[in-house]
């Protein structure tokens, strides 16, 4: 079979690259099995008519106008390897035509959950501050260095959102024997109970937790929904760990709650990235910072390649994709997450 006879894939994975998401053997297999047409996201609409007509798959989430989609009569699946669903293609038409839209965000669940656990342990035990004090010759020994320390083991924990990341986090927390309450308005209580957590209202999660993990995606309904009132409801000294998107939080209100000493906080995400050099959160005591690096591990990116290849193989055989997560007709238009600016 000549290369022109192979199933055609339009590759526009920015901000990722094929070399990032595939190992060399995976990439060789990908190129051997498919005719890969590489372009930019904005370049998809300008591809030759025969390329659009024959495209079976898209790797990426380029903007797709209705007219461009009409020309893609062989399209079976859009593999979103950025993993934030943007409102830049006619989803209703895609679903009506039976075209899958899938994301590979599951690969980030374990890495982000692990960093979130590390952040919680640090806020509980002051590990970073103790190390910095040691370097400056100002360390406090024994109990003098534990005046604000506490245990995660047996603590009351709240989780806001219970998708892939929330479930990965819950698996890690199970070893700490926490009492975990979850608020997720998109899930029925039985799913939460089956995962060993207690369904709870947002107020209950905030007011009854020693540690609150926020792992909810940004939607049209929850932008900035965690503000001053929410932080005021938290227990004094409780830890707030933000792992999903900064858009769900009123960030100035979060900083004010930390500055007042009411809570401590940690975040891997910020309203603007990269963060301005003079942003006040950089020097805020009681706030642990991480530069959107929780999920950006090479092993996670390479797992994307596995997911894409395995799901393409299933679809090639007339079966549905199973490794990647399918976008849902009822919720895809509500997503408001921003894509990452860099790898």
């Amino acid at each position: 079979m000549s290369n022109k006879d192979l199933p055609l894939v339009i590759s526009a994975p920015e901000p990722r690259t094929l070399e990032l998401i595939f190992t060399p053997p995976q990439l060789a297999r990908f190129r051997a099995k498919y005719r890969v047409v590489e372009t930019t996201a904005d370049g998809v609409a300008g591809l030759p008519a025969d390329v659009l007509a024959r495209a079976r798959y898209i790797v990426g989430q380029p903007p797709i106008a209705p007219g461009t989609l009409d020309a893609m009569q062989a399209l079976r699946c859009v593999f979103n390897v950025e993993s934030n669903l943007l409102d830049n293609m006619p989803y209703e038409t895609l679903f009506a035509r039976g075209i899958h839209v899938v994301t590979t965000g599951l690969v980030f669940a374990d890495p982000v959950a692990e960093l979130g656990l590390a952040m919680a342990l640090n806020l509980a035990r002051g590990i970073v501050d103790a190390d910095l004090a040691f370097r400056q010759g100002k360390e406090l020994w024994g109990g003098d260095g534990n005046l604000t320390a506490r245990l995660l083991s047996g603590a009351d924990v709240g989780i806001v959102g219970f998708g892939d990341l929330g479930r990965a986090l819950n698996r890690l927390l199970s070893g700490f024997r926490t009492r975990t309450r979850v608020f997720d308005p998109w899930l029925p209580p039985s799913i939460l109970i089956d995962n060993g957590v207690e369904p709870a209202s947002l107020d209950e999660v905030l007011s009854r937790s020693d540690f609150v993990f926020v792992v909810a995606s940004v939607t049209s309904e929850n932008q900035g929904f965690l503000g001053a009132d929410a932080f005021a409801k938290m227990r004094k000294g409780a830890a707030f760990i933000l792992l999903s998107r900064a858009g769900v939080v009123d960030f100035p209100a979060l900083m004010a709650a930390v500055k007042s000493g009411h809570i401590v906080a940690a975040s891997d995400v910020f309203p603007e990235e990269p963060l301005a050099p003079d942003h006040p959160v950089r020097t805020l005591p009681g706030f642990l910072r991480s530069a959107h690096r929780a999920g950006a591990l090479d092993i996670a990116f390479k797992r994307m390649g596995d997911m894409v290849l395995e799901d393409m193989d299933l679809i090639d055989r007339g079966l549905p994709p199973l490794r990647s997560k399918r976008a849902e007709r009822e919720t895809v238009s509500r997503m408001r997450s921003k894509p990452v600016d860099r790898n």
Side-chain angles (χ1 to χ4, degrees):
M1 181 182 295
S2 70
N3 181 266
K4 289 187 177 182
D5 295 325
L6 295 174
L8 193 147
V9 179
I10 294 175
S11 173
E14 56 191 64
R16 318 290 185 214
T17 65
L18 293 181
E19 290 73 21
L20 179 70
I21 66 175
F22 289 114
T23 64
Q26 288 172 330
L27 187 55
R29 177 184 165 199
F30 180 58
R31 294 189 184 281
K33 190 171 181 180
Y34 301 98
R35 176 188 169 194
V36 182
V37 176
E38 298 186 56
T39 185
T40 64
D42 291 334
V44 170
L47 290 172
D50 65 313
V51 170
L52 294 176
R54 291 194 54 213
R56 181 178 295 185
Y57 303 117
I58 294 175
V59 175
Q61 64 165 339
I64 301 175
T68 303
L69 183 58
D70 288 343
M72 297 175 141
Q73 289 302 304
L75 187 63
R76 298 187 189 178
C77 187
V78 177
F79 287 90
N80 180 339
V81 295
E82 203 287 324
S83 298
N84 291 294
L85 288 162
L86 301 180
D87 189 17
N88 67 349
M89 55 186 72
Y91 290 107
E92 284 297 329
T93 304
L94 287 162
F95 293 138
R97 286 177 49 186
I99 299 168
H100 299 291
V101 179
V102 300
T103 72
T104 55
L106 177 61
V107 301
F108 297 127
D110 286 338
V112 176
E114 286 192 8
L115 188 71
L117 177 61
M119 285 178 152
L121 288 169
N122 179 78
L123 291 176
R125 303 302 296 272
I127 300 167
V128 169
D129 287 345
D131 175 72
L132 291 173
F134 217 111
R135 297 181 191 208
Q136 298 165 5
K138 299 178 181 179
E139 73 276 7
L140 298 174
W141 293 85
D144 291 338
N146 281 326
L147 297 180
T148 61
R150 67 186 121 161
L151 290 178
L152 177 58
S153 296
D156 288 314
V157 169
I159 302 177
V160 179
F162 205 66
D164 295 329
L165 174 52
R167 296 174 204 212
L169 178 62
N170 183 54
R171 290 193 294 270
L172 294 180
L173 289 169
S174 64
F176 290 85
R177 307 180 309 281
T178 59
R179 178 174 182 178
T180 304
R181 298 178 178 89
V182 172
F183 170 72
D184 191 323
W186 287 11
L187 293 179
S190 60
I191 290 181
L192 301 178
I193 293 169
D194 286 346
N195 280 273
V197 299
E198 298 180 25
S201 67
L202 180 60
D203 282 355
E204 288 173 326
V205 164
L206 293 169
S207 64
R208 301 175 69 181
S209 300
D210 301 308
F211 299 84
V212 175
F213 294 88
V214 177
V215 294
S217 299
V218 183
T219 72
S220 57
E221 300 155 359
N222 72 359
Q223 296 183 75
F225 80 108
L226 294 169
D229 289 345
F231 302 127
K233 292 173 183 175
M234 293 179 64
R235 293 175 175 175
K236 182 172 177 55
F240 182 90
I241 300 103
L242 177 59
L243 296 172
S244 51
R245 286 291 182 264
V248 300
V249 170
D250 179 337
F251 217 81
L254 173 59
M255 291 190 295
V258 173
K259 185 177 182 179
S260 73
H262 182 62
I263 62 172
V264 292
S267 184
D268 184 55
V269 292
F270 298 90
E272 298 177 2
E273 298 180 4
L275 201 62
D278 60 348
H279 196 288
V281 78
R282 288 184 179 272
T283 56
L284 180 60
F287 203 113
L288 181 65
R289 298 150 287 260
S290 175
H292 205 146
R293 51 185 291 274
L297 276 67
D298 187 65
I299 188 173
F301 292 127
K302 295 302 187 285
R303 286 174 179 168
M304 289 184 176
D306 284 330
M307 296 174 77
V308 169
L309 286 173
E310 289 190 343
D311 276 342
M312 282 184 176
D313 180 67
L314 288 171
I315 298 171
D316 287 342
R317 294 187 286 127
L319 299 170
L322 295 176
R323 288 290 311 279
S324 308
K325 184 173 183 177
R326 281 184 278 182
E328 298 292 348
R329 181 191 302 265
E330 293 81 4
T331 58
V332 65
S333 63
R334 302 184 189 184
M335 307 309 290
R336 292 293 185 273
S337 293
K338 296 179 181 179
V340 297
D341 293 326
R342 59 187 68 190
N343 295 329

